[in-house]
Coordinates of all heavy atoms in Angstrom, one line a residue:
V105 N 16.2 15.8 11.6 CA 14.8 15.5 12.1 C 14.9 14.7 13.4 O 15.7 13.8 13.5 CB 14.0 14.7 11.1 CG1 12.6 14.3 11.6 CG2 14.0 15.4 9.7
K106 N 14.2 15.1 14.4 CA 14.1 14.4 15.7 C 12.7 14.0 15.9 O 11.8 14.8 15.7 CB 14.6 15.3 16.8 CG 14.5 14.6 18.2 CD 14.9 15.5 19.4 CE 16.4 15.8 19.4 NZ 17.2 14.6 19.9
M107 N 12.5 12.7 16.3 CA 11.1 12.3 16.6 C 11.1 11.4 17.8 O 12.2 10.9 18.2 CB 10.6 11.5 15.4 CG 11.3 10.2 15.1 SD 10.5 9.4 13.7 CE 11.6 7.9 13.6
W157 N 18.5 6.1 11.2 CA 18.2 6.9 12.4 C 19.2 6.6 13.5 O 19.6 5.5 13.7 CB 16.8 6.6 12.8 CG 15.7 7.1 11.9 CD1 15.3 6.5 10.8 CD2 15.0 8.4 12.0 NE1 14.3 7.3 10.1 CE2 14.1 8.4 10.9 CE3 15.0 9.4 12.9 CZ2 13.3 9.5 10.6 CZ3 14.2 10.5 12.7 CH2 13.3 10.6 11.5
R158 N 19.4 7.6 14.4 CA 20.3 7.4 15.5 C 19.5 7.7 16.8 O 18.9 8.7 16.9 CB 21.5 8.4 15.4 CG 22.3 8.4 14.2 CD 23.3 9.5 14.1 NE 24.1 9.5 12.9 CZ 25.0 10.5 12.6 NH1 25.1 11.5 13.5 NH2 25.7 10.4 11.5
Q159 N 19.7 6.8 17.8 CA 19.0 7.0 19.0 C 19.7 8.1 19.9 O 20.9 8.0 20.1 CB 18.9 5.7 19.8 CG 18.0 5.7 21.0 CD 17.8 4.3 21.6 OE1 18.6 3.4 21.5 NE2 16.6 4.1 22.2
S160 N 18.9 9.0 20.4 CA 19.4 10.0 21.3 C 19.7 9.4 22.6 O 18.9 8.6 23.1 CB 18.4 11.1 21.5 OG 18.0 11.7 20.3
E161 N 20.9 9.7 23.1 CA 21.3 9.0 24.4 C 20.8 9.8 25.6 O 20.8 11.0 25.6 CB 22.8 9.0 24.5 CG 23.5 8.1 23.5 CD 23.1 6.6 23.7 OE1 22.9 6.2 24.8 OE2 22.9 5.9 22.7
P162 N 20.2 9.1 26.6 CA 19.7 9.8 27.8 C 20.9 10.3 28.6 O 22.0 9.8 28.4 CB 19.0 8.7 28.5 CG 19.6 7.4 28.1 CD 20.0 7.6 26.6
D163 N 20.6 11.3 29.4 CA 21.7 11.9 30.2 C 22.2 10.8 31.2 O 21.4 10.1 31.8 CB 21.1 13.0 31.0 CG 22.1 13.8 31.8 OD1 22.6 13.2 32.9 OD2 22.5 14.9 31.5
F168 N 17.4 11.1 32.1 CA 16.5 11.7 31.2 C 17.1 12.0 29.8 O 18.3 12.2 29.7 CB 16.0 13.1 31.8 CG 15.1 13.0 32.9 CD1 15.6 13.1 34.2 CD2 13.8 12.7 32.8 CE1 14.7 13.0 35.3 CE2 12.9 12.6 33.8 CZ 13.4 12.7 35.1
A169 N 16.2 11.9 28.8 CA 16.7 12.2 27.4 C 16.8 13.8 27.3 O 16.2 14.5 28.1 CB 15.8 11.7 26.4
A170 N 17.4 14.2 26.3 CA 17.6 15.7 26.1 C 16.3 16.3 25.7 O 16.1 17.5 26.0 CB 18.6 15.9 25.0
G171 N 15.4 15.6 25.1 CA 14.1 16.1 24.7 C 13.0 15.7 25.7 O 12.9 16.2 26.9
R174 N 12.4 9.5 28.5 CA 12.3 8.2 28.0 C 11.6 7.3 29.0 O 10.9 6.3 28.7 CB 13.7 7.6 27.7 CG 13.7 6.2 27.2 CD 15.1 5.8 26.7 NE 15.1 4.5 26.2 CZ 16.2 3.9 25.6 NH1 17.3 4.7 25.5 NH2 16.2 2.7 25.2
V351 N 10.7 3.8 23.6 CA 11.8 3.4 22.7 C 12.8 4.6 22.6 O 13.9 4.5 22.0 CB 11.4 2.9 21.3 CG1 10.7 1.6 21.4 CG2 10.6 4.0 20.6
G352 N 12.4 5.7 23.1 CA 13.3 6.9 23.1 C 13.2 7.8 21.9 O 12.3 7.5 21.0
E353 N 14.0 8.8 21.9 CA 13.9 9.8 20.7 C 15.0 9.4 19.7 O 16.1 8.9 20.1 CB 14.1 11.2 21.2 CG 12.9 11.7 22.1 CD 12.8 13.1 22.3 OE1 13.9 13.7 22.6 OE2 11.7 13.7 22.2
W354 N 14.8 9.7 18.5 CA 15.6 9.3 17.4 C 15.9 10.5 16.5 O 15.0 11.3 16.2 CB 15.0 8.2 16.6 CG 14.9 6.9 17.4 CD1 13.9 6.7 18.4 CD2 15.7 5.8 17.3 NE1 14.1 5.4 18.9 CE2 15.2 4.8 18.3 CE3 16.8 5.4 16.5 CZ2 15.8 3.6 18.5 CZ3 17.4 4.2 16.7 CH2 16.8 3.3 17.7
D355 N 17.2 10.6 16.0 CA 17.6 11.7 15.1 C 17.9 11.2 13.7 O 18.5 10.1 13.6 CB 18.8 12.4 15.7 CG 18.6 13.1 17.0 OD1 17.5 13.7 17.1 OD2 19.4 12.8 17.9
F356 N 17.6 12.0 12.7 CA 18.1 11.6 11.3 C 18.7 12.9 10.8 O 18.1 13.9 10.4 CB 16.9 11.2 10.4 CG 17.3 10.6 9.1 CD1 17.3 9.2 9.0 CD2 17.8 11.4 8.1 CE1 17.7 8.6 7.8 CE2 18.2 10.8 6.9 CZ 18.2 9.4 6.8
H363 N 23.9 19.5 11.6 CA 23.4 18.7 12.7 C 24.4 18.8 13.9 O 24.1 19.0 15.1 CB 23.2 17.3 12.3 CG 22.8 16.4 13.5 ND1 21.5 16.2 13.9 CD2 23.5 15.6 14.3 CE1 21.4 15.4 14.9 NE2 22.6 15.0 15.2

Side-chain angles (χ1 to χ4, degrees):
V105 180
K106 179 185 286 289
M107 66 179 183
W157 290 83
R158 305 173 181 176
Q159 190 170 28
S160 302
E161 291 298 323
D163 186 286
F168 286 101
R174 182 169 176 176
V351 294
E353 294 195 316
W354 295 75
D355 298 313
F356 194 100
H363 175 86

